[in-house]
Amino acid sequence: SQQGEEDPQALSIQEGENATMNCSYKTSINNLQWYRQNSGRGLVHLILIRSNEREKHSGRLRVTLDTSKKSSSLLITASRAADTASYFCATVPTGNAGNMLTFGGGTRLMVKP
Amino acid sequence: GAGVSQSPRYKVAKRGQDVALRCDPISGHVSLFWYQQALGQGPEFLTYFQNEAQLDKSGLPSDRFFAERPEGSVSTLKIQRTQQEDSAVYLCASSPRAYEQYFGPGTRLTVT
């Protein structure tokens, strides 16, 4: 079963707008990661935020983590048509020696040119 | 450099057939993971290797699923007597260190 839920399940915006996706999870975690998946392709790692971090930036990406609420958000600023993809959060639960990822259900983002 | 590769990219099997899915990880990566992704869903963990040792197989859905990595490099996921519910994309990922995983393009299995 999946660790949590992502919200919204689908998002459609115009190029240049910002896109915000939210993720909730259930257990305590070591870290939370965001991945992108283009249609028919594998997942690409975007950013990792550790449990003791609250915010992290990478280029046009901004990730926040609230461990008290067991939630995270991914913000993509100034979106481009090429950002069209599915975005997944994934967690590594505390004490997970193998570091296997537990994924959410994903947000399908469409950026219209 | 070369990423994670998987073969075949697409596989159609008749119900009851056995299939074997191959994963070539990035050279030198110690950890290897298999995930199953149903249509419209996020990936779900199947099994994990550290070198040749299968350290966790808790996600394998039934005893029809078997994975191996005999020399600590290439891995094969085998599904015996395939059923329609096995239809999914099977993703392989490798990792050189804790946390960051590099995914292959996946094998899309369709059982008819």
Side-chain angles (χ1 to χ4, degrees):
Chain A
S1 62
Q2 312 226 266
Q3 159 75 294
E5 298 177 356
E6 291 181 62
D7 166 46
Q9 291 188 338
L11 180 61
S12 181
I13 59 174
Q14 292 294 137
E15 205 166 29
E17 293 180 340
N18 295 341
T20 300
M21 290 160 267
N22 303 296
C23 164
S24 62
Y25 57 92
K26 298 174 182 173
T27 65
S28 62
I29 59 172
N30 279 333
N31 67 79
L32 185 145
Q33 305 175 37
W34 285 88
Y35 285 81
R36 183 185 73 221
Q37 185 177 39
N38 290 87
S39 179
R41 308 286 293 274
L43 289 93
V44 175
H45 181 267
L46 295 176
I47 196 166
L48 179 153
I49 186 166
R50 300 184 190 281
S51 60
N52 61 352
E53 298 177 307
R54 291 297 166 260
E55 188 171 313
K56 202 162 184 180
H57 297 254
S58 177
R60 294 184 296 113
L61 305 180
R62 173 178 168 254
V63 169
T64 63
L65 179 64
D66 186 336
T67 53
S68 66
K69 296 181 179 178
K70 290 186 170 58
S71 68
S72 175
S73 68
L74 171 67
L75 169 67
I76 304 174
T77 60
S79 63
R80 305 167 182 168
D83 294 330
T84 295
S86 291
Y87 291 81
F88 295 92
C89 68
T91 55
V92 176
T94 302
N96 183 331
N99 299 313
M100 63 281 290
L101 298 169
T102 304
F103 285 87
T107 293
R108 285 139 199 85
L109 173 66
M110 175 175 288
V111 181
K112 293 179 278 188
Chain B
V4 177
S5 62
Q6 293 186 245
S7 61
R9 290 292 313 278
Y10 303 91
K11 176 70 178 178
V12 178
K14 292 185 178 179
R15 194 186 319 172
Q17 281 186 332
D18 298 348
V19 298
L21 313 179
R22 177 186 169 109
C23 172
D24 285 78
I26 294 172
S27 178
H29 280 194
V30 169
S31 300
L32 185 146
F33 304 81
W34 283 98
Y35 295 86
Q36 179 191 58
Q37 186 176 23
L39 186 64
Q41 303 292 318
E44 294 201 5
F45 168 76
L46 294 177
T47 187
Y48 155 64
F49 291 85
Q50 187 167 341
N51 296 307
E52 69 278 5
Q54 188 175 21
L55 298 186
D56 191 326
K57 54 182 181 179
S58 62
L60 296 177
S62 77
D63 58 7
R64 296 185 296 103
F65 287 70
F66 172 76
E68 60 184 6
R69 193 187 186 198
E71 297 179 358
S73 178
V74 172
S75 177
T76 304
L77 176 66
K78 298 179 179 178
I79 309 173
Q80 298 177 323
R81 305 181 303 281
T82 52
Q83 304 293 314
Q84 281 193 317
E85 62 263 28
D86 300 335
S87 295
V89 175
Y90 290 86
L91 295 165
C92 174
S94 69
S95 177
R97 67 184 79 83
Y99 306 145
E100 187 170 350
Q101 296 186 20
Y102 297 80
F103 281 81
T107 295
R108 181 178 297 277
L109 172 65
T110 303
V111 181
T112 60

